[in-house]
Amino acid sequence: MTSYQLYVFLMCLIVFVLLASLSIFCIYTIMRLTIRLIRHGAEDERILDEHKKSSAKKRKGKLSKLLGYAFSGIVCFVLLAVLVCSLIIKGTNGSVVGDIPVYRVVNTGSMAKKNERNQYLYENKLDNQIQTFDLIRTEKLPDEMELKLYDIVVYETDGMLIVHRIVEIEEPNQYHPNCRHFRLQGDSVESPDRFPVLYSQMRAIYNGERIPFIGSFIMFMQSPAGWLCSLFVLLSVCAIPFLESKLEKEKEKRLLLYMGSNSETVVKKKIPEAPSVTITKFSPITLHTMKGGISAVTLDQLNSSYNAGETVDIGSLKSKELVHPACRLIKIIAYGKLEKALTVKADFFSPKAREAIILAGGIAITLPEACKSSSATPNSKEYGGGDTNV
């Protein structure tokens, strides 16, 4: 590795470390905020809705999860394969190893088009031009005497590999009795290369097979920036399932806390299949209650526990054992259906729950104590969102 390549690698490494650190910080912050929202109940409606849908489409959910893992595995495999192929191409770029063909990237446009002054291209119908960043396949050179006019070969001069066409062959004579001299020229340029090329300078012959424009990606993957980007993508793909699993566990815990305080349910850590559960018994610990004594009540619970025209408040909810006796605040969330006209007095309403109550012919009243307390507002950090408008 030259000093310049080392410098480029170090600069790319510094940029990679900075970007990786920034990405990790952002992901950590987003995850932390999302988990807090889940734990404080702001995502209850969405979690319950997802649970209801997943119960109806359990098999489809498992299939989509498997497809997600399969897609991540395919991405990792393809990326690793491309990276390995790029490194192999770079490592074998100098010559042909035995009879094994070698793929090379064309970096210039000297063979990209026909120059009008090169009449031999038109006369002999030579249409095998090579575009910049094409990936070409080269094979082992034939014997010196088997090389023909207009063959395209790879030769080395001053440490560089050049792909040009043979436009003139000078047979052995008194000036060079033991070898042939070859004049090579790019199809896009007007004149042959400055010096004749010897057979010993040639490295391979082009067989006409090429993959257009993929060479730019191959060259990027061969650079230090490409290596670091590949590593970053691989780490990201590996981290996504872990992060999703962590969020799913938090959602499962929140669902368990809401849908039942039965100790047997908590021990088994199994989400009930029934989407609608009415809590009737309580343990000394309020499992379904949010931090600060706020309890969530669903539209399903109201619909099954009250008759049309009745008033819902914290006292009646406690008497019907829909909330814990120590509960101080109530939040109504839109899970399930409400088909009865009720007068609902609560501290917080989700927008969908308020709309459902009104559509059913009822009234949604936000208690003034909730509005007066800034620490208990549904938009505060403690309770994680809601609606305080009457």
Side-chain angles (χ1 to χ4, degrees):
M1 183 179 290
T2 64
S3 57
Y4 175 74
Q5 290 176 330
L6 181 61
Y7 168 76
V8 171
F9 177 77
L10 291 176
M11 291 300 296
C12 292
L13 182 61
I14 292 172
V15 173
F16 170 77
V17 171
L18 292 176
L19 289 176
S21 302
L22 179 62
S23 301
I24 291 172
F25 174 76
C26 292
I27 293 172
Y28 172 77
T29 303
I30 293 172
M31 284 288 297
R32 186 177 178 184
L33 291 175
T34 304
I35 290 173
R36 289 188 66 182
L37 288 174
I38 292 173
R39 290 177 177 175
H40 292 169
E43 300 291 319
D44 281 358
E45 285 187 45
R46 187 168 62 85
I47 293 172
L48 292 172
D49 190 52
E50 288 178 357
H51 173 58
K52 188 175 182 179
K53 291 179 179 179
S54 64
S55 298
K57 301 180 180 180
K58 195 171 183 182
R59 293 183 179 178
K60 188 175 180 181
K62 288 184 178 180
L63 180 61
S64 61
K65 197 177 220 181
L66 289 174
L67 289 176
Y69 286 130
F71 177 76
S72 300
I74 291 172
V75 170
C76 291
F77 176 78
V78 171
L79 193 61
L80 283 173
V82 172
L83 181 61
V84 170
C85 290
S86 302
L87 296 177
I88 291 174
I89 291 172
K90 184 175 183 179
T92 59
N93 198 40
S95 61
V96 174
V97 181
D99 295 328
I100 302 174
V102 173
Y103 288 88
R104 306 171 191 275
V105 178
V106 177
N107 299 326
T108 66
S110 62
M111 291 288 295
K113 61 181 181 179
K114 296 180 181 181
N115 191 298
E116 294 180 356
R117 296 192 177 184
N118 299 331
Q119 290 300 315
Y120 61 89
L121 296 173
Y122 300 94
E123 294 170 358
N124 296 279
K125 297 181 180 180
L126 302 175
D127 300 321
N128 55 344
Q129 279 68 44
I130 304 171
Q131 304 299 321
T132 308
F133 298 128
D134 281 358
L135 185 67
I136 64 172
R137 173 174 169 167
T138 59
E139 297 179 347
K140 184 179 179 180
L141 275 171
D143 292 337
E144 182 177 358
M145 301 307 295
E146 294 180 5
L147 286 173
K148 303 183 299 295
L149 199 62
Y150 307 129
D151 282 344
I152 298 177
V153 297
V154 181
Y155 75 95
E156 182 176 1
T157 178
D158 298 330
M160 296 176 57
L161 292 176
I162 300 175
V163 181
H164 276 179
R165 190 187 301 276
I166 299 174
V167 296
E168 182 182 344
I169 301 177
E170 189 176 341
E171 299 296 339
N173 54 40
Q174 58 180 346
Y175 301 105
H176 48 88
N178 299 321
C179 60
R180 306 167 88 188
H181 281 190
F182 299 89
R183 283 285 183 177
L184 280 80
Q185 181 177 345
D187 291 353
S188 300
V189 297
E190 299 179 0
S191 57
D193 298 345
R194 183 175 180 182
F195 299 105
V197 177
L198 301 178
Y199 180 79
S200 60
Q201 294 177 256
M202 297 181 183
R203 297 291 176 262
I205 186 170
Y206 171 56
N207 69 348
E209 296 182 15
R210 66 186 181 95
I211 304 177
F213 307 115
I214 197 174
S216 55
F217 181 69
I218 297 293
M219 291 183 65
F220 173 75
M221 295 298 291
Q222 292 174 352
S223 66
W227 304 340
L228 296 176
C229 285
S230 301
L231 179 61
F232 184 78
V233 172
L234 289 173
L235 291 176
S236 300
V237 171
C238 294
I240 287 173
F242 170 76
L243 298 177
E244 288 182 346
S245 174
K246 189 170 181 63
L247 286 178
E248 287 299 323
K249 287 180 180 178
E250 290 295 333
K251 291 179 182 178
E252 182 178 332
K253 288 179 182 178
R254 182 63 195 170
L255 191 61
L256 285 169
L257 292 179
Y258 172 76
M259 296 190 73
S261 59
N262 192 311
S263 60
E264 183 181 353
T265 304
V266 177
V267 171
K268 289 184 177 180
K269 294 295 181 182
K270 183 178 180 181
I271 300 176
E273 294 183 359
S276 177
V277 176
T278 302
I279 301 170
T280 57
K281 299 295 179 182
F282 297 94
S283 63
I285 302 175
T286 309
L287 294 175
H288 68 294
T289 302
M290 300 181 198
K291 179 181 178 182
I294 177 170
S295 291
V297 179
T298 68
L299 296 178
D300 264 349
Q301 290 175 314
L302 298 181
N303 195 64
S304 62
S305 303
Y306 288 85
N307 296 320
E310 290 187 337
T311 298
V312 179
D313 55 21
I314 190 168
S316 64
L317 290 170
K318 288 181 179 179
S319 65
K320 293 178 182 292
E321 296 186 338
L322 295 179
V323 297
H324 193 276
C327 168
R328 295 189 296 109
L329 301 172
I330 301 297
K331 178 179 178 180
I332 308 298
I333 62 175
Y335 180 70
K337 294 182 179 180
L338 180 62
E339 300 174 345
K340 302 173 183 178
L342 303 174
T343 299
V344 184
K345 298 179 181 180
D347 302 280
F348 310 118
F349 293 86
S350 72
K352 291 183 179 180
R354 180 183 292 278
E355 181 181 359
I357 293 170
I358 295 173
L359 289 176
I363 302 173
I365 301 175
T366 302
L367 298 178
E369 288 78 4
C371 299
K372 292 177 183 178
S373 177
S374 61
S375 63
T377 58
N379 292 324
S380 66
K381 294 181 179 178
E382 188 175 3
Y383 299 116
D387 183 13
T388 58
N389 296 325
V390 177

